[in-house]
Amino acid sequence: MDEFVKGLATLFRQAYELGVEEGRKHPIVETKMLKRKDLPEKFGIKVDAFDEYYRDKDFPYYQEGSQRKYYAPAVHLWLLNHQKYNN
């Protein structure tokens, strides 16, 4: 019985390690530039809410001509650093 339990523990450990390794291959946030209209789909920020609460609050952007673009990883990090928790 002990050998059976040890074998299962080894099998579970290997499956866990493979899952972690596989998960590292897929980035959480795509590394691409977004337009304002892309923010709802990627981050769940409605355009109206973005304009009212985020746009002028030191939100990260890249100016390309007259249009602002947003680098998805920078937006993700900014959101993580500016979230508020409710208990």
Side-chain angles (χ1 to χ4, degrees), residues 1-68:
M1 184 75 164
D2 286 339
E3 291 300 318
F4 177 71
V5 172
K6 287 180 184 178
L8 277 177
T10 300
L11 181 65
F12 289 142
R13 187 176 336 104
Q14 290 172 345
Y16 171 77
E17 289 170 357
L18 281 172
V20 169
E21 184 178 325
E22 186 64 27
R24 288 182 177 155
K25 293 178 185 176
H26 304 287
I28 294 173
V29 178
E30 295 179 73
T31 55
K32 65 182 199 175
M33 299 300 285
L34 304 171
K35 295 180 181 178
R36 180 174 151 264
K37 66 179 180 142
D38 300 325
L39 295 174
E41 178 185 339
K42 298 295 181 183
F43 294 101
I45 302 171
K46 293 181 181 177
V47 174
D48 294 342
F50 172 74
D51 290 341
E52 187 174 344
Y53 299 110
Y54 297 98
R55 178 176 259 180
D56 297 322
K57 303 279 195 275
D58 209 22
F59 199 80
Y61 69 91
Y62 170 76
Q63 190 78 32
E64 190 173 276
S66 63
Q67 185 177 25
R68 287 184 177 185

